Amino acid sequence: MDLHILEHRVRVLSLARRGLWLYTHPLLKLLFLPQRCRCKFFSLTETPEDYTIMLDEEGFQELPPSEFMQVADSMWLVLSVVSNGREPPGCQATGVTKIARSVIAPLAEHHVSVLMLSTYQTDFILVRERDLPVVIHTLAGEFDIYKEESGECVPVTCEDVSNGFLKPKQAASPTLHPVQSPQTRFCILTVAPDTLPAIATMLIDVLFYSHSPPREAGAGSQDLDSITFFAFSLIDGYISIVMDAETQKRFPSDLLLTSSTGELWRMVRIGGQPLGFDECGIVAQIAEPLATADISAYYISTFNFDHALVPEEGIAEVIQLLQQRQGSSR
């Protein structure tokens, strides 16, 4: 297997719901006119608490600073696992699989925090730029590692980062966070880029006008019968969308592409309180038991909480697995 360190240098930020109006114009530009700002990595996820945005440096320059925006201190790099050659663009990924777990679990053991962004096409693992030497030393035995530079893949070895390598700290036992499973059913979709203008009006309505009442950041501790969640990513020209099944009905069915089975997904939401970026093992808490049970998961980290989507027919088994894991740790 190959591990690619992509060229994107990504910022992660939280945008308060009440401040969305200030960012309408730059977000529309990022959504529909990426060529105007040269942004190649853009992801926006709406949750009950806020909007989480992950975007490269070119995109970040489009967003004016304000009291409504909170930016994570670190710069993040993007990792992608490639097995048996690069998969053809447009194929549907299975989410956090054993391949992704082979990256996530060792990094957690070496005290490296990760963010996860699954898209319709592939999985992206985000690590802090300052952790790259530890990442390479940790994974070099399992992967052939390449760094993308000016469109070319250049091999990377441990010797290339020896000057910046610090012996990793011994990771503390990870906290097992509570999980919740709202009743909302979700769809994982893609759209051909040339048809995006045809659904632009509906996307604008969903993102900017169809708001549920804002909730406090600590609201994750509440039981959720349903949840506000919408994710849109435009990365290297490929579009991925997560929306609830009721929202999907508002879009033309012939323009939204999904798997041939058209399966629906249920959410597992991780964290009773906002998680923070320094804690390690959060993604592994979900990915490891599900990968062991050969259950696909589509994973999206946000500024405050993490979210895993699993096939609807498997949600009962997933909850049981996670509850057993929590019970055995007590």
Side-chain angles (χ1 to χ4, degrees):
M1 290 189 292
D2 297 342
L3 181 71
H4 287 217
I5 306 167
L6 305 186
E7 290 186 286
H8 312 294
R9 300 177 73 240
V10 172
R11 303 304 298 261
V12 179
L13 61 96
S14 167
L15 182 61
R17 296 176 68 91
R18 67 183 185 279
L20 183 64
W21 62 271
L22 183 62
Y23 292 88
T24 302
H25 180 264
L27 287 176
L28 288 176
K29 187 175 179 181
L30 289 163
L31 282 162
F32 302 113
L33 300 171
Q35 68 278 9
R36 296 284 297 274
C37 58
R38 296 184 299 173
C39 180
K40 295 183 179 179
F41 192 104
F42 172 73
S43 170
L44 182 151
T45 304
E46 179 187 8
T47 68
E49 297 77 29
D50 62 1
Y51 293 84
T52 293
I53 300 175
M54 302 179 182
L55 74 176
D56 59 27
E57 294 176 289
E58 290 76 11
F60 184 66
Q61 293 173 6
E62 299 290 332
L63 303 179
S66 78
E67 61 180 310
F68 303 114
M69 186 169 72
Q70 181 181 359
V71 184
D73 293 336
S74 304
M75 187 74 73
W76 298 77
L77 299 179
V78 183
L79 311 180
S80 178
V81 176
V82 179
S83 180
N84 299 322
R86 186 173 295 277
E87 294 179 351
C91 67
Q92 187 176 17
T94 57
V96 184
T97 61
K98 293 179 181 179
I99 294 175
R101 186 188 65 167
S102 64
V103 175
I104 295 164
L107 292 183
E109 293 172 1
H110 287 83
H111 207 68
V112 175
S113 179
V114 305
L115 300 176
M116 194 79 197
L117 178 63
S118 294
T119 70
Y120 188 93
Q121 291 80 19
T122 191
D123 294 317
F124 297 107
I125 304 160
L126 279 68
V127 298
R128 286 178 287 203
E129 190 171 40
R130 66 174 182 261
D131 289 332
L132 184 60
V134 180
V135 170
I136 291 174
H137 276 260
T138 301
L139 301 177
E142 180 73 22
F143 295 92
D144 293 323
I145 302 177
Y146 298 87
K147 188 172 185 177
E148 295 189 356
E149 297 179 354
S150 303
E152 299 292 329
C153 291
V154 180
V156 176
T157 65
C158 292
E159 289 73 19
D160 295 332
V161 293
S162 293
N163 291 337
F165 179 67
L166 297 175
K167 186 176 180 180
K169 304 174 185 177
Q170 182 66 35
S173 298
T175 301
L176 288 181
H177 292 278
V179 297
Q180 302 164 311
S181 180
Q183 296 299 313
T184 311
R185 305 157 81 210
F186 291 95
C187 309
I188 299 173
L189 311 153
T190 189
V191 176
D194 59 350
T195 63
L196 185 59
I199 62 170
T201 301
M202 188 58 64
L203 273 177
I204 292 170
D205 182 64
V206 170
L207 282 170
F208 298 103
Y209 298 102
S210 301
H211 300 307
S212 60
R215 297 168 58 172
E216 297 299 325
S221 60
Q222 301 177 10
D223 291 331
L224 301 175
D225 290 329
S226 61
I227 187 172
T228 299
F229 190 88
F230 184 92
F232 177 97
S233 65
L234 176 55
I235 299 174
D236 291 329
Y238 295 104
I239 297 169
S240 181
I241 303 174
V242 177
M243 66 177 76
D244 64 76
E246 290 303 311
T247 300
Q248 184 198 18
K249 295 176 182 177
R250 299 166 56 184
F251 288 80
S253 59
D254 58 328
L255 297 181
L256 299 180
L257 308 177
T258 187
S259 65
S260 58
T261 58
E263 64 184 339
L264 295 175
W265 301 69
R266 288 277 301 278
M267 176 181 290
V268 176
R269 180 170 155 101
I270 302 96
Q273 297 295 328
L275 298 171
F277 296 109
D278 292 326
E279 187 176 343
C280 305
I282 298 172
V283 180
Q285 172 185 346
I286 303 298
E288 287 192 86
L290 298 194
T292 300
D294 202 26
I295 298 174
S296 299
Y298 185 101
Y299 201 104
I300 297 179
S301 300
T302 61
F303 206 88
N304 291 302
F305 299 97
D306 280 12
H307 309 81
L309 296 171
V310 300
E312 182 178 34
E313 65 273 12
I315 186 63
E317 181 183 359
V318 168
I319 295 300
Q320 183 180 14
L321 283 171
L322 297 179
Q323 288 176 342
Q324 288 174 349
R325 184 179 176 88
Q326 288 189 323
S328 63
S329 68
R330 293 171 183 162

